[in-house]
């Protein structure tokens, strides 16, 4: 079993600057690749994947931190990973890749027009960054997700995983929230990545916000979350904040959130039979990726 301790960074052995932050493997290789499911998450700062077998048992989880400055460098980094990571070359029976780029807009069904999708994204995010505009209906909600993906990235994954199904992270995130929406009238869900966080806000049982925020310091995170509460008239002292992803409870970042919010919950995940190696890590570290795998299985 190969296991990288928390905090230890190994450099990816190519000319690119991708780094393996976490590499968690099961004890044995799967015997039947045709009944395995490879789920990948692609963003500007990170690339990760989970490989699960037919019994929903986690076989491998790997997380790369990326260092690209633009879409061209990002394509090079991802090309290097795909060409050298042997597990990405397996003939998994099912492949899903999930885009986690911030250029996304949720549109209520009554206002949706497929012909104006590109114009909508250009209006909100500008047209300097070129890409392909994709549209998908969010299951279980009268809503569409209109989003933009860099052309080179979409071509790369279509070419290397031709039979794969693609999604946007926000669409699957909203699907996984269906049960939680019934249980919580008000809450914030915050998913942390290196120098980026995703925030979803539910108020009075309705989804009011899904947004990506870049940050450099812990104070940035505190400012964003307090500003969101101010805009939506939510009380930081009482609203539940569900936290997951790459955040350490002993970090300055967690302390900053704890200063202002009185009800912080660390989100674990029990929907997939996981490898024993995951017990060495906080459960909330990998719950976002495992929830993606469960959503598309």
């Amino acid at each position: 079993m190969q296991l990288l301790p928390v905090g230890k960074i190994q450099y990816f052995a190519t000319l690119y600057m991708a780094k393996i932050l976490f590499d968690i493997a099961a004890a044995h290789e799967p015997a039947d690749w045709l009944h395995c499911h490879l789920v990948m998450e692609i963003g500007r700062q990170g690339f990760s994947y989970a490989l699960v077998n037919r019994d929903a048992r986690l076989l491998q989880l790997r997380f790369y931190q990326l260092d690209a400055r633009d879409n061209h460098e990002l394509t090079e980094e991802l090309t290097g990973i795909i060409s050298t990571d042997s597990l990405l070359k397996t003939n998994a029976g099912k492949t899903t890749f999930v885009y986690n780029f911030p250029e996304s807009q949720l549109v209520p069904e009554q206002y949706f027009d497929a012909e104006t999708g590109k114009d909508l994204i250009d209006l909100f995010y500008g047209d300097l960054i070129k890409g392909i505009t994709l549209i998908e209906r969010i299951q279980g909600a009268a809503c569409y997700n209109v989003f933009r993906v860099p052309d080179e990235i979409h071509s790369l994954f279509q070419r290397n995983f031709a039979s794969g199904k693609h999604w946007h992270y926000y669409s699957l995130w909203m699907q996984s929230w269906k049960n939680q929406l019934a249980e919580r009238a008000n809450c914030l869900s915050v998913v942390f990545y290196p120098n980026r966080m995703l925030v979803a806000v539910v108020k009075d049982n309705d989804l009011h916000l899904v947004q990506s925020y870049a940050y450099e310091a812990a104070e940035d995170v505190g400012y964003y979350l307090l500003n969101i509460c101010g805009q939506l008239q939510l009380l930081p002292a009482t609203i539940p904040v569900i936290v997951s992803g790459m955040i350490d409870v002993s970090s300055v970042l967690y302390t900053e959130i704890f200063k202002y919010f009185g009800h912080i919950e660390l989100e674990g995940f029990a929907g997939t039979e996981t490898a024993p190696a995951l017990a060495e890590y906080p459960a909330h570290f990998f719950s976002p990726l495992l929830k993606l795998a469960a959503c598309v299985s």
Side-chain angles (χ1 to χ4, degrees):
M1 178 183 295
Q2 183 183 9
L3 181 64
L4 297 183
V6 175
K8 183 175 180 181
I9 297 176
Q10 290 191 352
Y11 283 85
F12 189 57
T14 70
L15 297 177
Y16 308 101
M17 292 301 294
K19 306 169 187 176
I20 298 179
L21 292 185
F22 300 99
D23 191 8
I24 302 171
H28 303 289
E29 293 294 329
D32 188 356
W33 288 109
L34 291 179
H35 291 94
C36 290
H37 187 186
L38 176 64
V39 181
M40 296 167 281
E41 181 183 351
I42 308 110
R44 287 202 170 89
Q45 289 81 30
F47 170 78
S48 59
Y49 66 80
L51 183 69
V52 297
N53 68 7
R54 68 195 318 178
D55 299 318
R57 177 173 177 260
L58 180 67
L59 302 172
Q60 182 84 33
L61 185 149
R62 189 166 289 170
F63 187 101
Y64 292 88
Q65 183 175 348
L66 307 177
D67 192 37
R69 293 170 295 183
D70 53 39
N71 288 341
H72 178 70
E73 290 188 2
L74 179 60
T75 304
E76 288 187 337
E77 284 189 310
L78 291 170
T79 299
I81 292 171
I82 292 172
S83 64
T84 56
D85 189 321
S86 60
L87 283 175
L88 295 178
K89 298 178 181 297
T90 59
N91 294 317
K94 184 177 181 181
T95 302
T96 304
F97 44 99
V98 182
Y99 294 126
N100 195 341
F101 294 99
E103 295 89 358
S104 167
Q105 190 66 34
L106 303 182
V107 183
E109 190 171 34
Q110 63 267 35
Y111 301 115
F112 174 72
D113 182 354
E115 299 298 323
T116 61
K118 181 180 183 303
D119 294 335
L120 180 68
I121 293 299
D122 288 347
L123 175 65
F124 278 94
Y125 299 98
D127 59 0
L128 293 179
I129 300 177
K130 303 302 179 183
I132 181 172
T133 301
L134 302 172
I135 297 171
E136 56 198 22
R137 195 180 194 283
I138 299 178
Q139 297 180 17
C143 187
Y144 286 84
N145 186 0
V146 182
F147 59 97
R148 184 166 64 198
V149 177
D151 289 303
E152 309 98 309
I153 303 301
H154 190 58
S155 297
L156 175 67
F157 280 87
Q158 291 282 345
R159 186 169 60 251
N160 285 277
F161 306 98
S163 62
K165 167 72 174 177
H166 67 76
W167 290 90
H168 192 272
Y169 186 97
Y170 292 178
S171 302
L172 298 177
W173 198 18
M174 293 305 97
Q175 289 180 40
S176 71
W177 264 70
K178 285 187 293 184
N179 292 334
Q180 294 187 43
L181 288 175
E183 299 171 359
R184 301 174 185 270
N186 303 285
C187 66
L188 274 68
S189 178
V190 188
V191 182
F192 282 96
Y193 297 86
N195 300 115
R196 187 168 73 97
M197 66 177 181
L198 306 182
V199 181
V201 183
V202 172
K203 178 183 178 183
D204 298 330
N205 293 111
D206 288 326
L207 180 68
H208 282 253
L209 175 74
V210 180
Q211 187 66 52
S212 172
Y213 298 89
Y215 68 89
E216 295 183 3
E219 291 78 8
D220 298 336
V221 172
Y223 169 80
Y224 285 132
L225 296 181
L226 289 173
N227 186 55
I228 289 169
C229 287
Q231 293 290 329
L232 295 177
Q233 298 181 324
L234 298 168
L235 295 177
T238 59
I239 188 168
V241 180
I242 304 168
V243 173
S244 61
M246 303 299 166
I247 181 172
D248 194 318
V249 296
S250 62
S251 66
V252 174
L253 179 56
Y254 185 86
T255 302
E256 178 70 13
I257 301 172
F258 192 76
K259 282 196 307 186
Y260 304 107
F261 294 88
H263 296 274
I264 301 176
E265 303 175 22
L266 298 174
E267 183 181 46
F269 183 74
T272 300
E273 184 184 347
T274 54
L278 280 180
E280 302 292 327
Y281 297 86
H284 66 276
F285 269 29
F286 307 114
S287 62
L289 181 58
L290 296 177
K291 284 174 67 178
L292 288 180
C295 252
V296 295
S297 295

